[in-house]
């Protein structure tokens, strides 16, 4: 058990990591729960703190291409184009791993997921380390990802000594995960970079292949990002009728449903901006979870740009096994 401190000291963070401890780090997407990726004992602490099954592999974080290339065997041309245009940034690359990467990190796969996050504090930290950081989102397995230091504290208090506070995450959704086939780019998780952007940059065929069932295949569990309260997605009015008599919380894009008398409503972007809505989504889900409502109802978003990633998170939150 730890006394968990929130602070902004990069050197202190580095010291904990070098001692094999866990720290939470800010990124542009969500906060990560980080450990020295080359130290198996430290990596095991990540799985334990999150209560994460060990068959679900971890993303590596590095500061620059020099650190990046040592961890992979080969970088295809499409990947180089994406690296050039989008990193540091919210995109993760699935590539054949080098021998440096422990099997524990990839859950036995010969592919490693790796990214260069775009956050000044974390880039400063990573550039001072002589090992990559393995970091899943800093939430208990299955819950909504954290976008502030306080969110990390809410979920993982006493499970780690230090949370590096870098403010609120700007993108607010996890990175887009891409893999490469002979002549196509495969999107395994929708996130901060849209499918349209990837198509434009690579001139390649882009396939979206979100996996739900097996997390050893790239991807994620279907029931994920779940609030504790029942969560419904789609036609707001119909879901209100179905939940008659209950206290309703509504999450919408920019339209107000106040005429339907919800107990609480959160509009994610008054001006109808999808990036702003994405950045506000996880805080809204957490706020609804602690508000005095019985059920949470969310609108579906336009399926374009980052709207596709928003819908993906909402669908997983609403998934009933
Ligand atoms: O934005 C992000 O990517 C954040 C920040 C902290 O970097 N990280 C993050 O990690 O979202 P996590 O663990 O919550 O989600 C990583 C996803 C999981 O669905 C995992 O199954 C997949 O990436 N993954 C990681 N390594 C993989 C591998 N070698 N092969 C296939 N899938 C992998
Ligand atoms: Mg996660």
């Amino acid at each position: 058990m730890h006394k968990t401190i929130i602070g902004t000291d990069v050197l202190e963070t580095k010291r904990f990591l070098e001692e094999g401890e866990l720290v939470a780090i800010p990124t542009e997407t969500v906060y990560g729960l980080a450990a020295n990726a080359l130290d198996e004992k430290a990596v095991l602490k990540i799985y334990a703190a999150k209560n994460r099954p060990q068959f679900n592999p971890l993303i590596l974080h590095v500061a620059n291409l020099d650190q990046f290339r040592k961890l992979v065997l080969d970088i295809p041309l499409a990947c180089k184009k994406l690296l050039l245009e989008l990193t540091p940034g919210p995109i993760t690359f699935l590539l054949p791993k080098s021998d440096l990467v422990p099997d524990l990190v990839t859950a036995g796969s010969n592919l490693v997921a790796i990214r260069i996050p775009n956050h000044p504090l974390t880039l400063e930290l990573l550039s001072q380390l002589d090992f990559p950081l393995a970091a899943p989102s800093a939430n208990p397995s299955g819950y909504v990802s954290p976008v502030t230091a306080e969110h990390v504290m809410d979920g993982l208090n006493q499970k780690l000594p230090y949370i590096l506070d870098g403010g609120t995450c700007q993108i607010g959704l996890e990175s887009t995960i891409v893999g490469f086939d002979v002549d196509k780019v495969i999107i395994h998780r929708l996130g901060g970079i849209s499918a349209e952007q990837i198509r434009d940059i690579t001139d390649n065929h882009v396939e979206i292949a979100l996996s739900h069932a097996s997390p050893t295949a790239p991807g994620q569990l279907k029931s994920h990002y779940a609030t504790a309260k029942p969560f419904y997605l789609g036609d707001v009015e119909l879901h209100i009728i179905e939940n008659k008599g209950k206290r309703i919380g509504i999450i919408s894009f920019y339209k107000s449903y106040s005429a339907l008398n919800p107990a609480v409503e959160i509009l994610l972007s008054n001006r109808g901006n999808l990036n702003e809505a994405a950045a506000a989504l996880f805080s809204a889900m957490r706020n609804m979870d602690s508000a005095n409502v019985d059920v949470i109802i969310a609108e579906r978003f336009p399926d374009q740009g980052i709207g596709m990633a928003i819908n993906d998170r909402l669908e997983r939150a609403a998934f009933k096994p």
Side-chain angles (χ1 to χ4, degrees), residues 84-127:
L84 176 68
E85 299 289 333
L86 300 175
T87 59
I91 182 162
T92 295
F93 304 96
L94 263 181
L95 296 168
K97 80 178 194 71
S98 76
D99 288 341
L100 275 177
V101 181
D103 287 335
L104 180 62
V105 166
T106 66
S109 164
N110 54 9
L111 298 178
V112 62
I114 177 168
R115 83 183 195 94
I116 304 177
N118 189 16
H119 190 290
L121 275 187
T122 292
L123 281 175
E124 187 189 333
L125 171 69
L126 287 167
S127 66

Side-chain angles (χ1 to χ4, degrees), residues 138-288:
N139 50 280
S141 190
Y143 196 63
V144 184
S145 298
V147 298
T148 66
E150 291 71 30
H151 291 168
V152 179
M153 187 68 111
D154 287 343
L156 298 176
N157 189 14
Q158 300 188 337
K159 301 229 162 130
L160 72 174
Y162 202 75
I163 300 170
L164 183 62
D165 188 352
T168 303
C169 301
Q170 277 184 5
I171 305 283
L173 295 182
E174 296 81 354
S175 59
T176 299
I177 302 179
V178 294
F180 302 91
D181 212 336
V182 184
D183 51 4
K184 62 184 174 195
V185 179
I186 302 160
I187 299 181
H188 295 287
R189 177 175 72 183
L190 293 161
I193 299 290
S194 69
E196 292 94 317
Q197 280 172 287
I198 291 170
R199 201 170 291 129
D200 287 348
I201 292 168
T202 59
D203 299 323
N204 270 33
H205 179 61
V206 173
E207 185 180 305
I208 301 180
L210 309 178
S211 103
H212 296 298
S214 157
T216 44
Q220 50 202 326
L221 299 164
K222 190 159 187 178
S223 169
H224 213 116
Y225 311 101
T227 51
K229 291 181 181 157
F231 194 99
Y232 301 96
L233 172 64
D235 188 315
V236 173
E237 287 91 355
L238 276 183
H239 284 303
I240 288 181
I241 296 169
E242 279 162 8
N243 287 283
K244 203 173 161 194
K246 296 196 182 134
R247 295 178 59 85
I248 308 279
I250 299 178
I251 297 177
S252 71
F253 188 11
Y254 52 82
K255 174 177 163 185
S256 171
Y257 290 89
S258 60
L260 301 174
N261 292 314
V264 182
E265 78 166 340
I266 301 178
L267 280 56
L268 294 186
S269 169
N270 280 311
R271 58 194 178 112
N273 179 293
L274 281 172
N275 292 318
E276 189 172 79
L281 176 66
F282 286 162
S283 290
M285 287 168 68
R286 285 168 175 267
N287 290 340
M288 278 298 181

